[in-house]
Amino acid sequence: MDRLDPQTTPQRQTPDPLIHGGGGALAGGAVPGGEPAGAFDPWRYRDDAGVTGADLVGYKVEATDGGIGKIDSASHEVNASYLVVDTGPWIFGKKVMLPAGVVNHVDHDDQKVYVDRSRDQIKAAPEFDGAGYDDPAYRDKLGGYYGGTYGSPGWAAPPGRAI
């Protein structure tokens, strides 16, 4: 059996604190190399979602039970990331704001973003009026709503993870 040389064996790297909310912790309460602790952080993309550095505007959004629209705008702000989705005829042309934490994964080849909530859960979310981007009361309400749906029917765990 060959011995591993620590000089050539890839080492686990510490997360970049600017990418991971300034504190070095991973989204969802995970520790580097470990399983998620089960905490839901609505305003941070999951590390394994495939979002880092991507321009998602124009991508289609898929809920657990079907499409909901196309991304109109996206934010990558530290601890304040979100998507605004134009729902087209699905909800009479309204837009919805989705906190980054609901993004399950991104398929860049098909230009689709998969979220881990159902269409009904998204439709029942606090209404987005276009001014909620920076309104702390709206963001608290929205984050609380999606945090309350974490683990409920219609919610889907990320692929390969049992939470």
Side-chain angles (χ1 to χ4, degrees):
M1 183 159 136
D2 294 332
R3 296 181 73 88
L4 295 177
D5 181 356
Q7 299 299 321
T8 60
T9 303
Q11 300 294 316
R12 185 176 298 150
Q13 295 185 0
T14 304
D16 180 348
L18 295 178
I19 294 172
H20 302 288
L26 302 177
V31 293
E35 288 297 312
F40 174 72
D41 184 349
W43 303 110
R44 287 174 48 195
Y45 292 107
R46 297 174 192 159
D47 295 320
D48 59 352
V51 175
T52 306
D55 180 8
L56 302 176
V57 173
Y59 278 37
K60 293 179 181 177
V61 179
E62 295 285 327
T64 58
D65 55 355
I68 65 165
K70 285 190 174 184
I71 297 174
D72 190 54
S73 64
S75 163
H76 294 279
E77 296 174 47
V78 174
N79 291 327
S81 299
Y82 60 84
L83 302 173
V84 174
V85 180
D86 184 344
T87 63
W90 176 56
I91 313 180
F92 308 111
K94 290 188 179 182
K95 293 182 181 182
V96 295
M97 184 171 168
L98 298 175
V102 304
V103 174
N104 196 342
H105 69 280
V106 178
D107 182 332
H108 295 286
D109 293 333
D110 288 338
Q111 294 193 335
K112 288 185 180 179
V113 173
Y114 293 85
V115 297
D116 62 8
R117 299 303 194 277
S118 70
R119 291 168 52 112
D120 285 343
Q121 287 173 318
I122 294 166
K123 192 173 185 176
E127 190 170 332
F128 178 67
D129 65 5
Y133 298 103
D134 297 321
D135 179 13
Y138 175 75
R139 292 174 71 90
D140 286 347
K141 186 175 180 180
L142 189 66
Y145 171 78
Y146 280 105
T149 61
Y150 181 73
S152 65
W155 174 82
R161 286 196 183 152
I163 296 183

